[in-house]
Structures are given as structure tokens and as C-alpha cells.
Amino acid sequence: MKKKYHLEIPKDNISKKEINKTGFGESVPRFSYSEHGISLRNKKNQFKEIEYSKKDLKVISNVFLQLSTLDNMNIKSHILKIENLGFELVSLNFENKSIANFKINDDKFQEFEVKLDEYISTPENKYKTYFSAIENIKAIPIETKVSHDIDINSELRYDLLIQFFDGIKKEEIESLEKLIRKEFLQNNFEYNFSNISNRIVTIKTRLNGSEINTILNEFNSIKEISLNQNYFITNSVKGELIADDIKFEDVSSSSAICIFDSGITTSGKIIPNFVRDRINSYIPAGSVSPQYSHGTFVASRCIFGDDIEFQITTKNLKPYCYVIDVPVFGIDSFNNILGLNDFDLANAITEVVESLYLEVKVYNLSLGNPNSLRDNERSHLGKTLDFLSKEFDVLFVISSGNINSSLGTYPENHFSNVNARIGSPAESLLGLTVGSIAKYDDHGSLTKRDLISPFSKIGPGTDGGLKPELVSHGGNLMSPYTSFPRISACGLFEDGLSLSYDNGTSFSSPIISRHAQMLFDYYPFAKTNLIKALLIHFAEKREVFENFDFDFKFTGFGEPLIQNALYANKTATYLYQGELDMDNYDYVKFNIPDIFHDGNLESKLKLKITIVYNPEVNLNNDYEYSKTRLSVKLVKNTAVGLKEISLSNSNIYTKQWSPILQFEKSFTRNFDAGEWEVALRLYTRSITDVNFKQDYAIIIEVMDENGNINVYDEIKNDTSLNYNSFENDVYNINYA
């Protein structure tokens, strides 16, 4: 039977409507504006005397500083006024709403000084609307730049990352690097310098507390000093030997998934045939070889899927695609596992993505740091993944991390423990984070089929948003907290000749990577937003436990049903990829077939809508990290015309500044068939480009909740409509 693809919303169905915008308020009352100005000038002069002597301000033109308002005043409500003086917001203070960090270049600072003099001296206190909100001007305090894990009074040497503010001009970074080299050599400090696309400027070094103070007192443009954390993987357990008479079907797709892991075996006749390329430049120093066990297991699940054990049993392997092997873990001469740290792993991934992004869209990261993240805490690697996701339109599929031992009475105390929360880099805003569910259980197993795996780390994300977004099979554990092959995930062992059994979110992630690659293959015009939207939209919720309310932080949107994501069935699913500007709503029009109407007791109209977008991220501001958000309105057709309806009583996920929106709503009365609309609006923060546009993907699924109507056929057979499906745009490959 011919496959049916989802429906394309034509561009003619998109209309734009201008947004009415308001101004930015009045000046803050002061007893004397002139005296207030004199006080600001004195503080400004004190700031210049100290900060302008710092070495980096001799080679860069932006100065970074802290401004504050009165203690009882939220500085966010005055940002537009402050920006009119030439300052650009860098980051907010989560604990004190009256404080924020800004940057300003030399020319603008001089203009600011002239305006300040006019504010003081003119009879009408010119510019008072802008100046009156500012209470203080000072350097960014050193203690706010140092991670809580570091004691700046200690003589202990730390492995560190020194991260500079995003906002240093491209042409100045080379001069800054030369200055850093000179400074560190003079002080006999070891270091490595990294510059990712002139946006993420970082130093790897080892310093003690007094040396940290020395560096901070010499550089104005340092944003943060944090620990350079390491990443970890596990070993797998060898299973039964694979028979020699195994057969292979032809590989379905010529595409490849890139795997950053411990290396993929070169042994045996199964796996090596499907490794398109091996990039061995990033194996950790001191390694005698890749580690192979973990990476081979992961790769086998990308290639053959979750039912590899069944395929081996039937002696018929069904490879879907190829893989690219990038080992970032190795073993030393004592068989210890060595891994890359935050700095080196971010650089390795950047270099690989920059070279492969035109041909490789999916990158699997079954690795992580075991330490759970705190609120508003983002790793260097997590930020790098977000930057690369946006810059190159690629998809990182990231394991949520593993709870390596029992954290208390299962499940209540176990999952309530702070150490059950995700660790780096699973906080990545634009990556897909994947948790694990069980597919097999046994007498004495900790969880049941289709429930969250005992070891699967949970959300929320560091910003309180949804993490993980998706789940797939990664194994199960026996009580009290032990492995058992019969209920574990299955893959191939490092010898290339045997099956292997293990448990972990490392092994659920490759299943989602495989699904994502299928969607990129079947919908080759799709950007990453649409691929993520398809996976999320066609995910089926997975339960947690009877004594837990359903919460996205456990299993996210659920487990993707890949066949539904690939092909249409009885529901009508509309797809559209667009871009929002800052001045207009997008009204996305779609149709409800005539068979749905008020009073039709045979049917019950239900809509499910998913929107995914890829915001710019603020590399300076962990508290307001996402720079864009979308609002959504649903407009239904009625007997008296189009009418906006409330979504408050629908099943909805719409956390502000989260790059995913989803809602479901059922209708039984007070509506007409015909043309309906979804209205989208863009909001931004820390974006100064008036021509900025935000890419998005929207999926609108129209279904009969009673299951009596084939909605897809109703739309396709209506000759008055112009919705095309994508048969002519897809590759002729078979689902594996």
C-alpha cells in the first residue's frame, strides 16, 4: 500500500497582522535630579579609575560593568531607558532584581558622559527619563564571577575554565589572545585558549585562589571562572556469541549519525561495515586505544534499533543507516577509562560539526557528568551545544544521565532526591534530552513495562523547563538496585561477535537519534525544528507511578511513535515551517472538514498542536538564557465568524521562554467546520537587531476522538482545498 505523507500548509495560508506596541514609561522621581546626576558622575569616575587600568581594556573596546536601581525597584522594567544611554544588557542578578550587568563601547561611553553632564547642568535635566532609574555604577564584583565550588582563599589548585563575556569584537579577540598568552607566561600559569566562532572565548588552566584573584584583577572582560568538569561512560556486560550464519538486509538509508563516544569496534563482520568514517583525532591524551565497549553498544542501537536481539535470533539483521565514529573516551595501559573534559569536549564537537553539518544532521551524545545541575546553572558544553544547534541547524540527542545507586526508598525518596536531577550537558536548551523507560520486567524488578527506568535522571531543566523531552527503552533494574540481562537493553559487544546487555539512558538516546535520522531522510526539506516537533508531537505519554501525579519532569512528552511521525493515518496532520518577525503576528490557516459540525454525535473534534522554535541564547545570562519566546492563540470558525478561544482548560504545555509549545483541545459544540487559525507572536529580550526573525515549525493535527472519521481522506478528497502531501519531496527509502 502506498505510504501517505503529512499535509503541507501552503504559504498562501499564512497572513501577517501588525502588532501594536507601547512606549517605555516615565522618569523615576528624585528629590534633585542634578544632585542625583552629580552622585552618578562621582561613581562613574571611581569606576573608570579602577577598571580602565585593567590590561584587557587596552585591546578591546567594550567595557563590562554593573548598574543598579533603587533596592525596591526591578531593573528589568527600566532596561529600555538604560539602553537609550548606550548600554547593552549582559545579564541579570537572580538574587537581587535591582542589579544587572551591562556592556558599553568606548564611543558610547563617551557619549554617556556628555549626556550625564547635560543631565546635571541643564535646567530641565535633559535625559532624566533615562538617568533617573540608575542608582549606582560600579565594577562587576569579583566574587560573583567565581563558581560556588571554588574557594578563592584556598591554595589548592583547581582545573578551571575561564570564560569571557560574549560581546568582544571579532577583530579584537586575536589581540586578547596575545595579551592572555603574555600574562599567563609571565606568571608561569599553564593554559589553553579556545575561541568558538568569536562567541565563546575560553581558557583552560590550573590556578589556586590567589592566582584566580590575580587574573580577575587584571581582566575586565572575564564573565565566569568555573570547574572544568569531566564526562563519564560505563562498561557493558558480554552476552551470548552471535552465530556465523547471520544475514543482512541492504542498508535502508545512505545517511549517517555521528556518535561522540568511546569508539566503535573494528572487529567482527557486523558493525565495521556500517561505520562510514572514523575520526580519531580526539582520543584523550594517555590513551592506548579507544574504549570500544560503550560506543559499540550505542552504535549498534543507532544502526539496528531496539529489537537487535530479535534480529539476531531470527538471523536477519536490518540496518537502517551508517554511523560516524568520533571517540572521545579511551583506556590507558592499566585499562582505566579516560575521558575529555568540558573544554576539550566542546572544542572537539565544534570542530566535527563545523566540518560535517552539511551532510550530517544528527549527533548522539550518550555521555554526561554525574553531578546534578542547580537552578540556572549551565555548563560550558551545554552552551556550546546550543550555539552549534542554532548556528548550523543540527540536532544533538543527549542522554539525561544515570542515577548510579539507590537514593532512598523507591520510588518516592529515590526520585525526590536532588541527585536524581539531570547533569551536564542534558540541560542543553536546543538539544533533545532523552530519558529511559523499561520495556521488560520480571518478578522483583523495580519498575514495570513502559514506566520510567529506576536509573533515569529527571528534570526539571536548569531553567525549570521540561527535561527530558522524550524517553525510549534503556533497561530496568532488579530490587534492591542491580542489573539483570533479561530486563536490560541489548546491543553489540566490543568484540563485534557477541551480544551485550546494559542499562542506561546512554542506550535510550540512540533509539531517538535513529528516529530523528529517519525523519530527516523522509522529510529532507525539514529543518531541525520540524524534526523535533514531529518526534514530540507523535510521542505517547509514559506513566510514572500511582502515587505520583503525571509530571513532564519524569518522562517528558513520552515515547515517540515513529510510524505515526513518518506517515499519515486517519488523522489530518498539517506541517508548516515559517519565520516570525518582531512587528507582526503570523496567522496560520488550516481546515476542519465539513463532516465535523455542531450536533454530529458520531464524531468529536480534537486538535493537537505542537510548535517548536530555536531561540538565540544569551551566552552571558544563565537567568534569561533564551532570547525569544512565542505566544499562541487559537481562532475557531463559528456561525458568527472567527472567534478566539481560551486554552486555559486544555491539556497544555506553554512554559515561557521554553522552545516547545503544545496543547490539545476537544470540541463538541459552538464551532463550524472550514478555515481555522493559529496566531503566533514573537517576543524578544536582549536582541537589538530590528530585522531579527525567528524560525519555527508548527504541527496541527485534526482528529476524530471517537475514531469514526478518516480526517485525512476528507481533506485530500476535498477539491476546493489546496493541501499537498509530500510524496514528491521525499526519498524513496524503506522504513527499517
Side-chain angles (χ1 to χ4, degrees), residues 390 580-582 614-616 627-628 682 684 687 689-695:
K390 177 74 173 178
L580 276 166
D581 59 48
M582 300 172 75
N614 55 342
E616 293 274 1
K627 289 188 175 185
T628 65
L682 172 65
T684 66
I687 290 179
D689 180 6
V690 296
N691 297 314
F692 174 81
K693 293 181 180 180
Q694 175 62 63
D695 287 342

Side-chain angles (χ1 to χ4, degrees), residues 31-92:
F31 178 75
S32 168
Y33 290 110
S34 295
E35 289 182 10
H36 171 248
I38 291 169
S39 173
L40 286 183
R41 185 166 60 190
N42 290 337
K43 292 168 182 174
K44 179 263 298 182
N45 290 337
Q46 292 171 11
F47 166 80
K48 284 187 69 177
E49 184 177 352
I50 297 171
E51 291 300 297
Y52 273 75
S53 65
K54 291 191 172 178
K55 294 179 178 179
D56 53 342
L57 293 188
K58 294 178 174 62
V59 298
I60 64 175
S61 56
N62 279 320
V63 60
F64 296 86
L65 71 167
Q66 188 175 96
L67 302 179
S68 61
T69 55
L70 294 166
D71 289 341
N72 62 349
M73 190 179 295
N74 191 335
I75 196 169
K76 278 184 68 174
S77 60
H78 299 280
I79 294 298
L80 289 176
K81 301 174 187 176
I82 294 170
E83 287 178 342
N84 271 273
L85 293 172
F87 296 96
E88 185 177 332
L89 178 66
V90 168
S91 61
L92 296 165

Side-chain angles (χ1 to χ4, degrees), residues 173-449:
I173 292 176
E174 185 177 347
S175 298
L176 177 63
E177 183 182 2
K178 290 178 181 177
L179 178 65
I180 290 167
R181 184 187 307 125
K182 180 180 178 181
E183 180 73 14
F184 275 63
L185 288 175
Q186 277 182 350
N187 288 284
N188 292 316
F189 299 155
E190 60 180 88
Y191 84 101
N192 292 90
F193 180 88
S194 170
N195 170 28
I196 297 175
S197 296
N198 304 306
R199 295 287 306 278
I200 305 177
V201 178
T202 314
I203 299 170
K204 178 178 75 170
T205 188
R206 283 177 56 81
L207 302 174
N208 63 29
S210 62
E211 292 165 344
I212 291 170
N213 274 303
T214 297
I215 294 300
L216 284 171
N217 283 314
E218 295 291 357
F219 289 86
N220 169 271
S221 54
I222 290 175
K223 172 190 175 285
E224 180 182 21
I225 298 182
S226 59
L227 295 179
N228 186 17
Q229 56 190 347
N230 291 302
Y231 291 88
F232 297 90
I233 54 167
T234 58
N235 276 311
S236 304
V237 177
K238 186 176 180 179
E240 59 266 28
L241 197 66
I242 298 170
D244 286 336
D245 57 349
I246 195 83
K247 295 180 180 179
F248 297 88
E249 293 186 7
D250 292 338
V251 63
S252 296
S253 169
S254 61
S255 59
I257 298 168
C258 184
I259 301 175
F260 294 95
D261 213 284
S262 68
I264 302 169
T265 186
T266 59
S267 302
K269 66 177 184 179
I270 299 177
I271 287 287
N273 294 330
F274 304 104
V275 181
R276 174 181 292 170
D277 194 11
R278 297 179 188 270
I279 304 173
N280 292 316
S281 316
Y282 305 104
I283 300 173
S287 300
V288 295
S289 79
Q291 188 260 1
Y292 287 133
S293 170
H294 189 270
T296 302
F297 197 116
V298 168
S300 67
R301 290 175 69 78
C302 282
I303 299 166
F304 299 108
D306 186 37
D307 65 343
I308 186 171
E309 188 174 24
F310 174 77
Q311 294 177 42
I312 294 291
T313 301
T314 59
K315 299 185 179 181
N316 185 39
L317 280 168
K318 301 177 181 180
Y320 177 74
C321 65
Y322 297 91
V323 292
I324 294 174
D325 180 21
V326 186
V328 291
F329 294 89
I331 52 173
D332 64 16
S333 55
F334 299 100
N335 213 36
N336 297 312
I337 299 176
L338 304 177
L340 294 184
N341 53 43
D342 209 341
F343 179 90
D344 294 322
L345 188 53
N347 287 344
I349 292 172
T350 299
E351 291 178 9
V352 171
V353 170
E354 287 177 341
S355 66
L356 295 181
Y357 75 94
L358 291 175
E359 57 179 301
V360 177
K361 304 303 290 184
V362 181
Y363 299 81
N364 190 88
L365 294 176
S366 291
L367 50 82
N369 185 282
N371 298 319
S372 294
L373 289 159
R374 300 174 176 86
D375 287 348
N376 299 299
E377 182 179 55
R378 295 188 180 275
S379 65
H380 174 59
L381 179 56
K383 291 179 183 179
T384 301
L385 298 181
D386 287 334
F387 172 77
L388 296 173
S389 298
K390 177 74 173 178
E391 184 77 1
F392 298 107
D393 193 39
V394 296
L395 177 61
F396 292 102
V397 180
I398 308 161
S399 58
S400 69
N402 298 329
I403 306 169
N404 294 320
S405 60
S406 174
L407 299 177
T409 306
Y410 190 85
E412 295 91 341
N413 295 337
H414 178 72
F415 283 114
S416 299
N417 192 293
V418 294
N419 293 318
R421 193 176 186 182
I422 60 170
S424 169
E427 83 280 12
S428 166
L429 187 70
L430 301 186
L432 271 181
T433 301
V434 181
S436 174
I437 53 171
K439 285 296 180 186
Y440 307 106
D441 55 18
D442 205 330
H443 180 71
S445 59
L446 278 172
T447 196
K448 301 300 181 184
R449 178 184 172 90

Side-chain angles (χ1 to χ4, degrees), residues 651-710:
N651 182 7
I652 191 167
Y653 178 80
T654 56
K655 180 176 173 58
Q656 283 198 355
W657 308 102
S658 167
I660 302 166
L661 306 172
Q662 187 179 88
F663 65 89
E664 302 176 21
K665 193 170 181 67
S666 298
F667 302 85
T668 54
R669 58 188 177 85
N670 299 328
F671 71 87
D672 269 7
E675 194 168 77
W676 291 34
E677 297 175 334
V678 176
L680 300 173
R681 179 181 175 179
L682 172 65
Y683 293 85
T684 66
R685 56 188 179 191
S686 303
I687 290 179
T688 56
D689 180 6
V690 296
N691 297 314
F692 174 81
K693 293 181 180 180
Q694 175 62 63
D695 287 342
Y696 68 90
I698 182 169
I699 297 177
I700 304 168
E701 186 178 11
V702 182
M703 65 192 88
D704 174 16
E705 205 163 2
N706 292 338
N708 294 324
I709 298 174
N710 188 319

Side-chain angles (χ1 to χ4, degrees), residues 27-42 85 111-135 137:
S27 57
V28 175
R30 295 282 181 178
F31 178 75
S32 168
Y33 290 110
S34 295
E35 289 182 10
H36 171 248
I38 291 169
S39 173
L40 286 183
R41 185 166 60 190
N42 290 337
L85 293 172
E111 292 175 14
F112 163 75
E113 291 180 299
V114 172
K115 289 178 179 178
L116 180 55
D117 288 338
E118 292 184 64
Y119 171 55
I120 294 168
S121 60
T122 55
E124 72 279 15
N125 297 110
K126 192 176 180 181
Y127 306 116
K128 68 181 179 183
T129 300
Y130 308 143
F131 278 103
S132 59
I134 303 173
E135 181 66 15
I137 303 169

